[in-house]
Amino acid sequence: MFGNFDFDVIIRALPYLFKEGMTFTLMLTALAALGGLVFGTAIALMRLSGYKTLGRIAGVYVDFMRSLPLVLVIFWFYFLVPYIGQWVTGASRPISVGAFASSLITFIMFEAAYFSEIMRAGIQSISRGQPAAANALGLTYAQTMRYVVLPQAFRNMLPVLITQTIVLFQDTSLVYVLSITDFLGAASKVAQRDGRLVEMYLFAAVVYFTISCIASFGVRRLQARIAILR
Amino acid sequence: MNYHWNWGIFFEPNPMGTGTYLDMLLSGLVLTLKTAALAWIIALIFGTAIGVLRTLPSKTASWIGFCWVEFFRNMPLLVQLFLWFFVLPELLPRSAGLWLKQLPNAPFWTAAIGIGFFMSARVAIQLQAGIGSLPRGQRMAATALGLTTFQGYRYVLLPMAFRIILPPLTSEFLNTIKNTAVAITIGLIELTGEARSMQEFSFQVFEAFTAATILYLLVNAVVVTAMRFLERWVAIPGYITGK
């Protein structure tokens, strides 16, 4: 079964796989998680702000993003971003933004919807007395959020946020549909060039599996630690 | 924006000669629904089995359940589809591999089974949580009535657990429908795939993707409404959501 399994192909491809592919994957994951968290928190605050219109806009955005397949969203942004760029800069033709920027914007916008629901749950898990106390101390709304509510919400939701980031890490492989050289893209390019699909795809599977496993193991330990603190 | 809008494009004949562009999208929608339905049946069957395994007192059973869930949860769906589609036929004995490769509609079966297994891990976790949320007394009462373990699950624990986890199962069902779009990578031309090829043939990017988006939103709305009825219908009397 593994009689003609060629480990050499993998070893020769390692620098390309990790230096080009994994760097792209990890960078996209990290930046998208960060951007998604920032935008997601803003959307969560909009939804909980008490302004009906603002809340409704945020709600529609979240529901919209969550009812579409990620692959479709990737296509949307891939074609839409150049036009938005043209509109923003006032250029005469659509701006080419490159694979990285386009996929980064896609994932930030997409993940913001998911992160916002997590942050909303986190904010709602804070007892009513906390903002009331902050109010009594004379803090403004922004200060209350900044110093009292959000740090606790973030901390309570940290395991869930990391779990979502693991999902994001796996989902970044879908940029494959744009022929981008992320980790899977690099593996599949080598696979097709050398005619070694079995080796490359199995290796990619093992790498994704190992990283996700270690990360979710870490989340479980973190959860246990946070649970003790309560 | 110097983009040439043409909403009439949907009623123009498509280059495949199978009717209009709209027909193309609708046939993609049908394929999406077919794939999702088969995948969901597989996910429910395997998810139930694995979810039950994880709640049994046997150490071996829960270990098998643990391995299943970790295996299918820690790999991107895309990679899993590649494994089933490209790698599995090569690892099987020659004749079996050849048979698998020559199977008509291979992308459809691979996608349905692959997505089904992928989702089964998620169903299993939900079900495990559902069974875990039942009061201990239910299992004991089943035993006290003289039911075997199998009967206890069949008549007491599973009907209760499934009714409790219906709302999260709804979102998993929606995820299954959305995940069929990943199968575009192994050549399944479902709704997203048809929108993509419509864009390639007609250059009407935004019309094609807008139509696909609206169809996905419609499917979502139908599923959510149907499940809400189902939820009301099977609500457990005496629980907060019950009558």
Side-chain angles (χ1 to χ4, degrees), chain B residues 101-169:
Chain B
K101 272 193 238 175
Q102 286 165 346
L103 214 63
N105 271 339
F108 169 73
W109 296 108
T110 313
I113 296 171
I115 296 169
F117 280 171
F118 179 76
M119 295 310 294
S120 76
R122 279 141 225 266
V123 173
I125 299 171
Q126 309 274 15
L127 187 64
Q128 184 197 2
I131 295 175
S133 77
L134 294 174
R136 253 187 326 168
Q138 300 235 335
R139 194 187 286 266
M140 293 172 176
T143 317
L145 280 172
L147 301 184
T148 61
T149 310
F150 179 79
Q151 286 171 328
Y153 274 96
R154 164 77 184 77
Y155 294 110
V156 182
L157 298 176
L158 285 181
M160 286 293 283
F162 268 118
R163 288 157 86 172
I164 290 173
I165 62 167
L166 206 54
L169 273 189

Side-chain angles (χ1 to χ4, degrees), chain A residues 208-222:
Chain A
Y208 275 110
F209 182 80
T210 313
I211 294 179
S212 304
C213 253
I214 292 172
S216 43
F217 178 73
V219 171
R220 236 167 285 153
R221 288 194 57 170
L222 185 73

Side-chain angles (χ1 to χ4, degrees), chain B residues 14-15 20 23 81 101 109 137-139 179 204 216 229 238 240:
Chain B
N14 68 46
T20 60
D23 293 331
L81 289 188
K101 272 193 238 175
W109 296 108
Q138 300 235 335
R139 194 187 286 266
N179 278 336
Q204 300 296 336
Y216 276 112
F229 274 111
I240 295 175

Side-chain angles (χ1 to χ4, degrees), chain A residues 24-25 28-29 32 68-71 74 103 106-107 110-111 114-115 163-178 182-184 208 212, chain B residues 73-79 118 122 175 178-179 182 185:
Chain A
F24 182 97
T25 295
L28 184 59
T29 306
L68 295 183
L70 178 53
V71 178
I74 290 175
S103 52
T106 309
F107 275 96
F110 188 79
E111 290 301 321
Y114 287 83
F115 277 113
T163 306
Q164 180 62 32
T165 307
I166 300 173
V167 174
L168 166 64
F169 166 70
Q170 297 186 9
D171 279 349
T172 55
S173 63
L174 288 175
V175 297
Y176 174 89
V177 296
L178 302 179
D182 69 320
F183 184 69
L184 183 66
Y208 275 110
S212 304
Chain B
R73 236 187 5 172
N74 284 321
M75 255 184 263
L77 175 59
L78 178 51
V79 173
F118 179 76
R122 279 141 225 266
N175 283 338
K178 287 189 290 169
N179 278 336
V182 177
T185 54

Side-chain angles (χ1 to χ4, degrees), chain A residues 66-67 75-76 170 173, chain B residues 73 78 178 196 206 213 220:
Chain A
R66 296 206 307 174
S67 20
F75 282 138
W76 256 123
Q170 297 186 9
S173 63
Chain B
R73 236 187 5 172
L78 178 51
K178 287 189 290 169
R196 177 101 172 98
F206 296 118
T213 301
N220 259 290

